[in-house]
Amino acid sequence: MKLNSLDLDIKQFGREIDRFLANTGRKHWEGLIRQFNSTDGFFYKYFLLQRNPLIKPLQEYFNLYSKGKSIWKHRSEGLDFLAEKAFITNRIIQHANDAGKNQIKGRYKNNDIRPLLFELLVVTHFLKNGFAVKLAEHERDSSVGGTFDFLLTKDSIEAEVECKFKSYDAGRKIKRDDFYRLCDEILKQLKSYKIKCLIEINCLNKLGSNHIKFVETVKNIKTAIDQKKSNLIVDNDLSININYLPERLEIKSDEQFKSFITPYQTNNTGHFATLSNQETTIIVKAECNQKDPILRAIYNELKDSLDQFSKNKPGLIACYIEGIYPEEWEELQNERGLAAMTYHLLNKKNAEHIHTVSYISEVELYPMNDTTIYKHPTLFFKNQNCSY
């Protein structure tokens, strides 16, 4: 597949989205949105939106469509994102064989579509730079086994690309869906309380996902707040500290929230959430005493991917690591963390075919007139031992 242009006329937004829905299943998306709307909880619904960032813009699209309103005349950041993904998906499906078409449609039905969206981002990058892209992973015979994601060709250049998406939960003792379900239970039981507090949940091992335990834990928190207690032992694995905050505290922005929780960040493994207004500010922090082997989880997946390449061409690994923000990348470039792990990987004997490993994370958006620029801070590591 090679495209002469990736420019999309804004007047074609509606047509591209319609085609995308026809390609991936309109009824599937309508059912997914109904299911999302019927889901209880505030924080858990936020978690679902993170895993499937097309839900909100498709809600917006269906709402405009039902009212007979023009999509391009009601542009938004979400509709722009949806139209971009629809455009590239439609082109890929147009050029794919039957196995490729079915696999892409199936991947859009996963609970977490971000790995697919990341692959589309990488494909778009190379198409914009004049490469032809062949979808090796999507079009392979499933009985053959794993392979790299796609093959690049341009003039005399040929290369194989493998994309990896590592969730924020990779290797963590406390999973975000469990944390957000607990936060929703806290809000449910404390919604009538006019209080300003930070609830620190300390786990010896894992938070777990037992809803009955969550309900009982929050009942204990509620009793402790009624009695103005600051410390609470739930069981051998769980203890809670309640920090009572100034009555005038109200958190109105992400920046203010980040600034406020900084003194409470003892390491990089804690989870934070808040709901704040004039009368109530409840901040929840959950942390495990055991160290999260996050780098080990990333390393193991990258190591396993080495044998997915043919080794007859240079290999590129593009890895998205969720939850790293622009200001944190500088620290990762030092000779530790990601850098040390990647150099260790590239020094392996069976990594001589790997040319480059790149990492990206959270996107920065810069609106400029009628254009939105998406900027991804990226770390590149070139293999000095590459045989190509």
Side-chain angles (χ1 to χ4, degrees):
M1 176 179 68
K2 188 172 183 179
L3 302 181
N4 294 326
S5 173
L6 276 82
D7 292 334
L8 174 59
D9 186 337
I10 61 171
K11 293 183 180 180
Q12 301 299 317
F13 274 21
R15 183 176 297 177
E16 286 294 341
I17 296 170
D18 281 340
R19 189 178 300 160
F20 169 79
L21 292 171
N23 281 330
T24 58
R26 191 182 191 97
K27 287 185 178 179
H28 160 71
W29 293 108
E30 290 173 339
L32 188 66
I33 289 171
R34 283 195 299 271
Q35 182 182 348
F36 171 78
N37 289 335
S38 64
T39 300
D40 292 331
F42 173 81
F43 288 107
Y44 185 68
K45 289 183 82 167
Y46 167 76
F47 171 71
L48 293 179
L49 289 178
Q50 286 183 307
R51 293 202 300 176
N52 194 329
L54 295 188
I55 290 178
K56 271 292 185 187
L58 277 169
Q59 274 186 318
E60 194 176 348
Y61 166 81
F62 285 132
N63 183 48
L64 291 171
Y65 183 86
S66 67
K67 295 176 181 177
K69 293 185 176 181
S70 170
I71 305 302
W72 71 272
K73 287 184 179 178
H74 297 82
R75 283 182 66 188
S76 66
E77 188 179 294
L79 287 174
D80 284 3
F81 178 79
L82 172 60
E84 176 201 346
K85 299 308 176 189
F87 177 87
I88 194 65
T89 301
N90 292 337
R91 299 307 175 279
I92 289 174
I93 287 178
Q94 179 185 346
H95 289 85
N97 63 19
D98 289 342
K101 287 181 172 68
N102 291 333
Q103 190 173 135
I104 292 168
K105 292 174 184 178
R107 290 185 68 188
Y108 266 118
K109 293 179 181 177
N110 290 341
N111 290 330
D112 191 346
I113 68 168
R114 293 171 302 168
L116 173 59
L117 295 182
F118 174 53
E119 285 183 31
L120 296 180
L121 177 71
V122 178
V123 167
T124 303
H125 166 75
F126 283 109
L127 288 173
K128 282 182 176 178
N129 284 278
F131 284 85
V133 177
K134 179 176 173 57
L135 303 175
E137 171 68 18
H138 288 158
E139 299 186 354
R140 69 182 171 88
D141 181 347
S142 58
S143 64
V144 174
T147 185
F148 56 91
D149 287 321
F150 48 88
L151 175 69
L152 302 174
T153 56
K154 181 181 180 182
D155 301 328
S156 61
I157 299 173
E158 281 192 321
E160 299 168 354
V161 180
E162 173 68 15
C163 297
K164 294 295 182 185
F165 184 99
K166 293 308 297 180
S167 167
Y168 186 82
D169 289 330
R172 292 183 186 266
K173 302 292 185 182
I174 300 176
K175 306 298 184 185
R176 276 182 307 166
D177 54 343
D178 299 330
F179 172 67
Y180 287 143
R181 287 184 189 276
L182 175 58
C183 289
D184 281 328
E185 184 60 35
I186 290 172
L187 292 183
K188 181 180 177 181
Q189 293 197 37
L190 297 181
K191 62 183 178 182
S192 62
Y193 278 49
K194 296 179 181 179
I195 190 171
K196 307 290 176 88
C197 67
L198 183 146
I199 301 169
E200 293 185 275
I201 299 164
N202 307 299
C203 306
L204 185 63
N205 189 8
K206 292 183 178 181
L207 179 63
S209 55
N210 188 324
H211 181 68
I212 294 174
K213 183 177 179 180
F214 287 172
V215 173
E216 290 303 313
T217 298
V218 179
K219 283 182 180 177
N220 290 332
I221 293 173
K222 193 175 178 182
T223 300
I225 290 174
D226 288 337
Q227 298 173 1
K228 290 292 181 184
K229 289 185 177 179
S230 297
N231 300 298
L232 173 65
I233 304 295
V234 177
D235 54 35
N236 292 335
D237 291 324
L238 196 65
S239 64
I240 295 169
N241 299 324
I242 303 172
N243 301 279
Y244 297 95
L245 306 174
E247 292 184 4
R248 291 185 179 182
L249 177 67
E250 182 180 359
I251 295 175
K252 298 180 179 180
S253 68
D254 289 343
E255 291 73 22
Q256 187 183 358
F257 177 60
K258 286 180 182 178
S259 175
F260 181 83
I261 66 174
T262 297
Y264 298 95
Q265 291 178 303
T266 53
N267 56 46
N268 295 324
T269 63
H271 295 267
F272 287 87
T274 188
L275 194 66
S276 181
N277 55 44
Q278 285 186 337
E279 294 183 334
T280 303
T281 294
I282 297 175
I283 301 171
V284 183
K285 172 190 174 183
E287 190 171 75
C288 180
N289 291 338
Q290 291 189 23
K291 189 175 181 181
D292 289 332
I294 300 168
L295 283 177
R296 171 60 62 180
I298 296 170
Y299 176 80
N300 285 339
E301 181 147 349
L302 295 185
K303 184 183 70 171
D304 292 342
S305 74
L306 295 178
D307 292 328
Q308 291 181 243
F309 295 86
S310 71
K311 303 186 180 180
N312 298 321
K313 302 176 184 68
L316 311 173
I317 300 176
C319 185
Y320 187 106
I321 306 176
E322 183 188 7
I324 300 175
Y325 288 89
E327 65 271 14
E328 299 172 306
W329 280 105
E330 186 175 344
E331 179 181 335
L332 294 175
Q333 294 180 66
N334 297 331
E335 294 301 312
R336 57 178 180 166
L338 271 182
M341 181 204 76
T342 307
Y343 288 129
H344 181 72
L345 178 81
L346 294 177
N347 281 327
K348 294 180 70 66
K349 234 181 182 181
N350 64 334
E352 292 177 349
H353 57 290
I354 301 300
H355 183 278
T356 302
V357 178
S358 72
Y359 300 96
I360 72 170
S361 191
E362 306 302 330
V363 64
E364 291 179 285
L365 272 61
Y366 297 94
M368 294 180 65
N369 300 323
D370 291 334
T371 302
T372 300
I373 297 174
Y374 295 82
K375 181 181 178 185
H376 289 269
T378 308
L379 289 181
F380 284 99
F381 296 93
K382 245 183 174 178
N383 185 4
Q384 303 301 320
N385 302 317
C386 182
S387 53
Y388 297 98

